[in-house]
Amino acid sequence: MAVDQISDMGMTTVLIGHSERRGEFGLPTPAESNALLATKLEYILEAGLTCVFCIGEPLPIREQGIDAVLAECVSQLQDIVPILKSLDDKSRVIIAYEPVWAIGTGVTASPEQAQETHKAIRDWIATAVDKKTADGIRIQYGGSANAANAPELSAMPDIDGFLVGGASLKPDIVDIVAALAKAKAVV
């Protein structure tokens, strides 16, 4: 769907960079490069929309530890640094950290793993962009969040919310939202 169509329909948010589009699942479509995603992000923002920008790593990288995970995430964020630096309203870009190995599998990163990764991403943004952006940008967790793990994940200081997939179609989405609202003192 074109950005103009999205805007004309009254939608305000666009999601890009999901692992399927990055080629993680071998779909018969060309993988989108980091450079292409940066171009898309710029176009989305120019149209006045908000963007959820997905990043994440496959299991073989996760198994190498946090340094490898951060390197993979940084490789996916590097091309958008100039955009983040020039953007006045940092809330218009939301980073969705999705460990590819957890998407739709029912397996999730432990709260400690997710926090460690979110903090590493936030610390990198503080260095690569600036502290104001790092403090203000939302970093959501998108790896099989559900009603059972949402309270613990929500309690982590660098997890600002969730990008919920399959669980959003189930009645317990209410519990996920309630856990996040309680942990982040949202009324």
Side-chain angles (χ1 to χ4, degrees), residues 13-97:
T13 306
V14 177
L15 183 141
I16 63 172
H18 199 270
S19 54
E20 286 96 346
R21 302 293 299 199
R22 289 182 182 269
E24 290 293 336
F25 294 107
L27 296 177
T29 55
E32 294 183 346
S33 69
N34 296 325
L36 176 61
L37 290 168
T39 300
K40 285 184 170 190
L41 174 61
E42 200 163 31
Y43 187 61
I44 290 163
L45 295 172
E46 285 173 2
L49 301 171
T50 296
C51 183
V52 177
F53 193 90
C54 299
I55 62 172
E57 85 285 353
L59 186 56
I61 292 175
R62 167 51 71 180
E63 290 172 339
Q64 295 173 39
I66 188 62
D67 291 338
V69 170
L70 182 60
E72 178 67 15
C73 290
V74 165
S75 75
Q76 296 170 32
L77 291 169
Q78 191 67 51
D79 288 345
I80 70 167
V81 167
I83 298 166
L84 293 176
K85 284 183 176 182
S86 67
L87 186 63
D88 291 329
D89 182 359
K90 309 300 185 179
S91 71
R92 293 184 52 219
V93 176
I94 300 160
I95 305 296
Y97 166 65

Side-chain angles (χ1 to χ4, degrees), residues 27-187:
L27 296 177
T29 55
E32 294 183 346
S33 69
N34 296 325
L36 176 61
L37 290 168
T39 300
K40 285 184 170 190
L41 174 61
E42 200 163 31
Y43 187 61
I44 290 163
L45 295 172
E46 285 173 2
L49 301 171
T50 296
C51 183
V52 177
F53 193 90
C54 299
I55 62 172
E57 85 285 353
L59 186 56
I61 292 175
R62 167 51 71 180
E63 290 172 339
Q64 295 173 39
I66 188 62
D67 291 338
V69 170
L70 182 60
E72 178 67 15
C73 290
V74 165
S75 75
Q76 296 170 32
L77 291 169
Q78 191 67 51
D79 288 345
I80 70 167
V81 167
I83 298 166
L84 293 176
K85 284 183 176 182
S86 67
L87 186 63
D88 291 329
D89 182 359
K90 309 300 185 179
S91 71
R92 293 184 52 219
V93 176
I94 300 160
I95 305 296
Y97 166 65
E98 296 189 295
V100 175
W101 49 272
I103 298 171
T105 64
V107 176
T108 189
S110 70
E112 295 77 19
Q113 282 178 313
Q115 168 58 27
E116 177 183 48
T117 304
H118 280 236
K119 182 175 181 342
I121 293 165
R122 195 175 307 280
D123 290 347
W124 180 82
I125 292 170
T127 301
V129 181
D130 58 49
K131 184 167 177 6
K132 179 182 176 190
T133 301
D135 290 344
I137 200 164
R138 286 176 284 170
I139 305 175
Q140 297 180 332
Y141 178 74
S144 292
N146 58 50
N149 61 29
E152 284 187 277
L153 288 165
S154 296
M156 297 293 123
D158 288 294
I159 296 177
D160 300 320
F162 299 114
L163 179 61
V164 182
S168 68
L169 303 174
K170 298 177 183 173
D172 65 355
I173 185 65
V174 173
D175 299 326
I176 297 170
V177 173
L180 184 62
K182 180 179 179 184
K184 303 303 180 187
V186 176
V187 185

